[in-house]
Amino acid sequence: MSAALALARREFASFFRAGVGWAVLTLFLLLAGAAFAIGTLRPGAPASLRDFFALGHWLMLFIAPAVSMRSLAEETRSGTIEPLMTAPVSDWSIVLGKYLGGAAFLAVLLAPTALYAAVLLSIGGTDAAPMLAGYLGLYLLGALYLAAGTLCSALASSQAAAFLGALFLLLFLRFAAVQGGAAAPAPFDRVLYALAPELRLADFSKGVIDSAHIVFFLAVSGWLLTLAVVALASRRWR
Amino acid sequence: MLVADRLTRSFSGVAAVRDASFEIPRGQIVGFLGPNGAGKTTTMRMLSGFLPPSSGRATIAGFDTVDDSFHARRCVGYLTEANPLYPEMRVRSYLAHRATLYAVPRRERSHSVDRALERCRLADVRRKRIGALSKGYRQRVGLAAAILHKPPVLILDEPTSGLDPAQIAETRALLRELAGEHTVLLSTHILPEVERTCDRVIVIARGRIRADDTPADLLERSHPSPPYIVELRPASGDDPRAEPLDIFRAIRGVASAQVERATPDGWRRLLISAAPDAPDLREAFAHAARDHGFLVRELRRESASLEGLFSRLIERAYEGDAAPEEPSP
């Protein structure tokens, strides 16, 4: 476990050392700020972050793959995977360390947007609870997308391939679940809808914290990370 | 300390290493020689636990590299051929990071990092970014990372590749120093390196082990009687009283003699091979030359070199299995 934490620490620090982290951070805050200023901060709009969270889903679709693309693909490309995998560290620790480092960076990305919540609260007429629930939902969603990105990074041998792979995987799943759910006949539409993280996020931003949603996000993330471990272990046999 | 038992690894049906078996006792420093693509790196990757063997097994300090990979990996310090590092990290924090991965206890971590920095003469660059270091310094960082956790076994894949002669000499001195505490397997192209540093040489070519012995014994076996070189000309005038080749051929113990080179000003360079059991013939040659009125300006015995042996072993490897590799199951 201490190895996983050490790897997470290194991964987290590398975002700031490598420049990519700053680029992602800037881009995210720019887009999130524009969305907040245009969508929410206008006369007559409800003092809620619901629109921001709805858009946050789309931002995460691009941001999470960008955060996770380096994790394992860059180690493969530069060859540092070899000293890493010959250290007495389990494949699970490697994947978990990479993932936790990315998740910590994701928290840093989201933190400045708390300013928007502060603005709305100072204007008044609103409740902090749905905002907190919304943040929890958005973070869980980001963590799930990050797990998918980590899986793609474990499979790919370049950052670009990892990014595009994760982006297309997430877009495909999103459309399969949401559009597929709209098209499917009665019993199946509910199954498909249940698989759409976006719809679960909507509940959070209404202030509903459903434990089923939390279990869903954690279980799917865990499952994706397990696949990433398998992908990493399979390198030894290729 | 390190045992390879019929290690075999194939990539998409083609065997990169076949039936490699050897045993390295504690404290020995062994050179692993072979041309590029011979299977050195693949063998080292199997020993370090990076690649599992297709068949056969390896143990490090008694731990199987596959079944007990975790313990085996802890006992190995591994320097990979390309020595990849994180360019954005600083030397000291990189080593501290590696020490954590190797589960060096927190209290000893700082001390073992300092010790590795000092041994590899990195103290003056410890705050520098790895990406800003020269190749020689980066190599030392890789070596420092390999010895951090005091592993009983060091596996070093071409520790001197890409270094200049001064750095090579420095690394060699460091390796000899390390050999006292670690069992070392190092691969290299540089033959004098092996002769000077290693207790033992394992030669691999085309995935198979071709020789395994001490450098001295290998030379002895390959070159039981190195040839003599004699360069001479008639001492007076240009009328030799006898043909020099005949004179030397008549000496007991000489198997053959030939003129290697003749210069216009009368000097002739002879290459003389002795029978395998002949004693040192240099004195006999000197007497014979003087008695027949020849002036000698060079008389020496060719020293055996690993280089010659090495190229012969490799040639043989290629002649021996020129047939296409059969795919392994």
Side-chain angles (χ1 to χ4, degrees):
Chain A
M1 194 61 205
S2 70
L5 287 179
L7 289 169
R9 224 178 9 249
R10 202 206 73 77
E11 185 72 9
F12 180 71
S14 78
F15 284 112
F16 299 99
R17 291 202 199 100
V20 190
W22 292 109
V24 171
L25 187 68
T26 311
L27 193 71
F28 175 78
L29 290 180
L30 215 64
L31 292 173
F36 178 69
I38 298 165
T40 308
L41 220 53
R42 58 188 162 87
S48 112
L49 283 177
R50 220 186 275 190
D51 288 343
F52 167 73
F53 290 132
L55 191 93
H57 155 258
W58 287 103
L59 280 180
M60 279 300 170
L61 215 51
F62 290 87
I63 293 298
V67 169
S68 60
M69 66 181 181
R70 290 183 75 236
S71 57
L72 288 157
E74 178 63 12
E75 302 262 2
T76 307
R77 193 202 55 77
S78 71
T80 44
I81 195 80
E82 196 172 346
L84 188 56
M85 288 179 82
T86 50
V89 176
S90 68
D91 294 348
W92 252 113
S93 296
I94 295 175
V95 168
L96 203 62
K98 292 285 172 188
Y99 176 70
L100 291 177
F105 183 70
L106 208 60
V108 170
L109 278 185
L110 283 178
T113 67
L115 190 66
Y116 312 155
V119 169
L120 292 184
L121 287 171
S122 72
I123 294 170
T126 189
D127 193 359
M131 292 186 190
L132 285 175
Y135 269 111
L136 177 65
L138 187 59
Y139 188 71
L140 286 171
L141 176 113
L144 189 154
Y145 287 1
L146 205 59
T150 306
L151 168 61
C152 291
S153 195
L155 289 168
S157 49
S158 81
Q159 295 186 38
F163 176 78
L164 291 175
L167 183 62
F168 285 122
L169 175 70
L170 292 174
L171 279 174
F172 172 76
L173 292 178
R174 189 263 166 198
F175 282 110
V178 177
Q179 255 69 17
F188 302 108
D189 60 344
R190 293 196 49 191
V191 178
L192 286 170
Y193 280 139
L195 291 172
E198 186 184 352
L199 301 179
R200 294 178 184 269
L201 173 64
D203 273 357
F204 277 99
S205 54
K206 283 177 213 153
V208 181
I209 299 181
D210 187 339
S211 57
H213 292 338
I214 295 179
V215 169
F216 169 83
F217 280 119
L218 295 182
V220 175
S221 302
W223 179 70
L224 288 167
L225 289 180
T226 310
L227 289 183
V229 173
V230 172
L232 185 67
S234 79
R235 280 162 194 274
R236 296 184 194 272
W237 299 99
R238 271 187 250 158
Chain B
M1 184 51 66
L2 189 159
V3 179
D5 181 19
R6 299 178 63 81
L7 276 183
T8 299
R9 172 76 199 200
S10 38
F11 294 101
S12 15
V14 179
V17 174
R18 249 188 290 177
D19 289 334
S21 299
F22 50 88
E23 219 170 293
I24 304 179
R26 179 190 298 274
Q28 206 169 54
I29 168 160
V30 177
F32 202 33
L33 281 179
N36 285 332
K40 285 177 301 201
T41 297
T42 302
T43 305
M44 290 181 139
R45 283 182 165 168
M46 285 192 273
L47 295 172
S48 67
F50 186 64
L51 282 178
S54 305
S55 69
R57 63 197 290 264
T59 59
I60 307 273
F63 300 114
D64 190 283
T65 53
V66 175
D67 298 337
D68 211 348
S69 171
F70 200 79
H71 286 107
R73 282 187 265 166
R74 277 183 92 150
C75 294
V76 174
Y78 179 37
L79 176 69
T80 62
E81 187 179 2
N83 185 26
L85 301 163
Y86 301 109
E88 79 278 4
M89 286 186 96
R90 289 177 198 282
V91 173
R92 197 173 196 289
S93 57
Y94 174 69
L95 292 179
H97 173 66
R98 294 295 298 181
T100 318
L101 293 189
Y102 276 88
V104 175
R106 185 179 290 273
R107 276 173 290 114
E108 296 165 30
R109 217 172 285 161
S110 169
H111 174 251
S112 42
V113 169
D114 287 335
R115 185 177 142 279
L117 282 170
E118 197 183 313
R119 293 210 79 165
C120 299
R121 294 165 196 93
L122 283 165
D124 48 332
V125 296
R126 63 174 176 272
R127 285 181 205 292
K128 281 210 170 158
R129 278 182 46 245
I130 291 171
L133 296 179
S134 69
K135 169 105 185 157
Y137 270 113
R138 275 208 292 271
Q139 200 71 9
R140 283 192 237 168
V141 173
L143 210 52
I147 62 169
L148 257 183
H149 56 292
K150 300 187 192 162
V153 174
L154 282 180
I155 297 177
L156 312 174
D157 200 352
E158 304 204 5
T160 50
S161 77
L163 300 185
D164 67 35
Q167 292 167 328
I168 290 177
E170 215 171 79
T171 310
R172 188 190 302 142
L174 180 61
L175 286 177
R176 223 177 290 126
E177 225 178 283
L178 292 173
E181 303 156 40
H182 309 267
T183 302
V184 184
L185 177 66
L186 71 98
S187 73
T188 177
H189 291 305
I190 305 167
L191 291 155
E193 185 78 25
V194 174
E195 290 185 80
R196 260 175 267 180
T197 328
C198 301
D199 305 322
R200 189 173 141 201
V201 186
I202 297 175
V203 180
I204 185 170
R206 302 205 74 192
R208 282 179 190 277
I209 291 190
R210 308 285 169 173
D212 180 353
D213 216 329
T214 63
D217 281 356
L218 268 185
L219 288 177
E220 181 58 38
R221 212 149 25 91
S222 73
H223 245 318
S225 57
Y228 296 85
I229 308 275
V230 182
E231 195 165 349
L232 43 64
R233 74 167 164 80
S236 55
D238 44 14
D239 177 30
R241 273 171 283 168
E243 172 56 39
L245 282 179
D246 296 336
I247 301 166
F248 287 106
R249 279 182 187 140
I251 294 172
R252 253 168 71 99
V254 170
S256 71
Q258 64 194 72
V259 178
E260 198 192 39
R261 198 174 60 206
T263 57
D265 50 352
W267 288 103
R268 269 190 276 185
R269 190 181 174 85
L270 310 182
L271 191 68
I272 304 167
S273 338
D277 50 350
D280 191 336
L281 295 172
R282 281 176 297 182
E283 207 177 319
F285 291 159
H287 281 301
R290 193 195 53 204
D291 294 350
H292 290 85
F294 283 100
L295 200 62
V296 173
R297 73 171 178 187
E298 185 175 2
L299 171 54
R300 67 182 166 92
R301 194 169 193 187
E302 195 85 280
S303 63
S305 77
L306 268 183
E307 206 131 355
L309 162 67
F310 184 61
S311 41
R312 237 167 310 134
L313 280 171
I314 300 216
E315 252 165 50
R316 210 177 304 154
Y318 278 81
E319 282 162 14
D321 28 77
E325 308 259 322
E326 71 265 26
S328 63

